[in-house]
Amino acid sequence: MKFKALIFVPLLFALTTAVLAGEDERRNSSTQQVERTVTADPGVMVSLCVMSGSINVSGWDRNEVFARSDAHKIDFKGETTGDAPAPKRLELSIIEPHGARVRPSCQGYSDVELKVPQGATVQIQTRDGSISISGVTAAYAGTQNGDITIQQVVKWVEAATIGGSIIARDLGGRITLTSIGGGIDATNVRPVNSGDAFDAASVSGDINLVQVGHSRFNVKSVSGNVNLRSPLVRGGRYGFLTMSGDVTLSLPEDASFELNAKVSNKDVVVSDFPLQVLAEGGSTSVGSAMAPGAPAPPRTPSTRVAPRVKPGVVVKVDPRATVIILRRVNAVHGTGEANISVASFSGKVLLKKN
């Protein structure tokens, strides 16, 4: 028995050493970087998808696409050679050995760094990993489990994540942001054309928006709060829909808007702005100038076409705010240069002065 033990122990040690050596070799090989650079059209469309790995994309002032990864190999589908025109479309493949075969496209498990012309459009997808894009003309980004950061994109942006958050800064054009399991933060976004819209939707995260210049604006949240701090665009139409979150609009003191709000019986509309509640055939002023118990001012013919609504009931008069309980609120502040539509099934509507 002792003899067998003497043979087994060295054999076990040898096997363990071999396994550890193989693991070290695999780890070392995975940290080796491969790079490729190809000439491209200034407005090239670049697409890349991986199964797992973070992707970082940035624009530069060269008509080239540069890729760096810890993969086994990088291929460019659409690459041209010789005197052929530079490609207007490139599809990157991250290739890694997988046993005796090679993983097909979109099955790579590697982080990737990309540099593309500033005029490029990029389409980036990963299942498990974060995405960062900056300094390009247009971008699409999608991940199932990771955060998305997009900055300085000038024409259009579409970003969607299931298990992460979205941060968007200094964007132009048509913008669509969707997050299932995280929040959305957008700052300094603006249209390029008059038809450009801003759309944001989150299922279980807050949506925070600062300085949004789009006149076509729609925001939806299932279980998060919505916060907007921005001037209103004249003629703009702002739509907000929440199931169980508050909607807070922080507006300049000189803001002018018409408010159409739907709230539940237990929730309220709170406004720092004096509101003129519209009713069929006339209007009633509701604001901080009213004292508790004071009679309502005389009704005057309305110059606006007001929808049929039930009169509002003022439950609290405060020098700083007006509070109205009403399932449907139709009111105006100033000349009503922008339209705000809010529906909240379980949350407050707060109108604040910056």
Side-chain angles (χ1 to χ4, degrees):
M1 181 66 68
K2 183 183 292 186
F3 178 75
K4 291 183 178 180
L6 291 174
I7 295 176
F8 178 74
V9 171
L11 179 61
L12 178 61
F13 177 77
L15 290 173
T16 302
T17 303
V19 170
L20 292 176
E23 179 66 20
D24 289 340
E25 183 179 355
R26 184 197 63 79
R27 188 181 295 111
N28 290 335
S29 64
S30 67
T31 59
Q32 293 178 353
Q33 299 281 306
V34 293
E35 299 179 358
R36 282 212 57 197
T37 302
V38 300
T39 302
D41 185 86
V44 65
M45 176 178 288
V46 180
S47 60
L48 168 65
C49 63
V50 297
M51 180 65 71
S52 178
S54 296
I55 302 173
N56 188 316
V57 183
S58 59
W60 64 353
D61 58 357
R62 302 182 187 178
N63 294 333
E64 295 176 334
V65 174
F66 167 84
R68 177 190 290 127
S69 177
D70 54 4
H72 174 70
K73 184 180 180 182
I74 300 173
D75 271 353
F76 284 91
K77 183 179 179 180
E79 180 183 2
T80 58
T81 58
D83 295 332
K88 295 185 177 181
R89 186 181 185 94
L90 286 171
E91 180 180 342
L92 274 73
S93 295
I94 302 302
I95 300 174
E96 298 177 280
H98 182 56
R101 61 186 180 87
V102 173
R103 294 184 187 275
S105 180
C106 294
Q107 297 298 308
Y109 283 75
S110 299
D111 295 339
V112 183
E113 178 187 359
L114 281 179
K115 294 183 182 295
V116 301
Q118 293 174 351
T121 295
V122 296
Q123 298 179 338
I124 306 299
Q125 297 182 73
T126 178
R127 189 189 69 177
D128 295 311
S130 298
I131 297 174
S132 175
I133 300 173
S134 65
V136 298
T137 292
Y140 167 82
T143 177
Q144 290 188 27
N145 186 25
D147 298 331
I148 296 176
T149 301
I150 300 185
Q151 304 178 79
Q152 299 174 348
V153 178
V154 299
K155 188 174 181 180
W156 64 262
V157 169
E158 184 174 346
T161 176
I162 295 177
S165 300
I166 297 176
I167 297 176
R169 297 190 182 98
D170 302 323
L171 305 181
R174 174 173 55 86
I175 299 171
T176 304
L177 309 174
T178 306
S179 177
I180 304 299
I184 295 174
D185 290 271
T187 302
N188 191 26
V189 296
R190 60 203 180 281
V192 174
N193 301 309
S194 59
D196 290 337
F198 178 89
D199 295 278
S202 175
V203 173
S204 61
D206 293 342
I207 300 177
N208 300 304
L209 310 172
V210 179
Q211 297 296 323
V212 179
H214 295 72
S215 61
R216 297 173 58 189
F217 179 102
N218 290 284
V219 172
K220 299 177 181 179
S221 176
V222 175
S223 61
N225 297 322
V226 176
N227 303 289
L228 171 67
R229 187 170 78 248
S230 176
L232 299 176
V233 178
R234 183 172 185 176
R237 303 187 67 84
Y238 297 81
F240 300 88
L241 174 63
T242 68
M243 297 295 292
S244 60
D246 295 341
V247 176
T248 302
L249 309 182
S250 299
L251 308 175
E253 190 168 355
D254 61 352
S256 174
F257 57 87
E258 179 180 342
L259 173 68
N260 300 285
K262 298 178 183 178
V263 295
S264 66
N265 282 331
K266 65 179 181 179
D267 295 310
V268 297
V269 175
V270 181
S271 175
D272 288 346
F273 299 90
L275 298 177
Q276 188 178 47
V277 178
L278 303 177
E280 187 179 32
S283 60
T284 302
S285 296
V286 181
S288 58
M290 292 179 60
R299 294 165 60 92
T300 58
S302 175
T303 59
R304 305 175 62 84
V305 179
R308 178 185 294 274
V309 296
K310 296 179 180 180
V313 179
V314 179
V315 295
K316 177 181 178 183
V317 177
D318 187 273
R320 297 166 299 176
T322 297
V323 181
I324 302 172
I325 288 184
L326 190 66
R327 286 192 60 86
R328 181 187 293 269
V329 177
N330 295 92
V332 65
H333 173 71
T335 58
E337 294 181 354
N339 181 275
I340 301 173
S341 297
V342 183
S344 180
F345 293 92
S346 180
K348 297 179 178 63
V349 179
L350 311 172
L351 301 173
K352 296 184 176 182
K353 293 182 180 180
N354 278 347

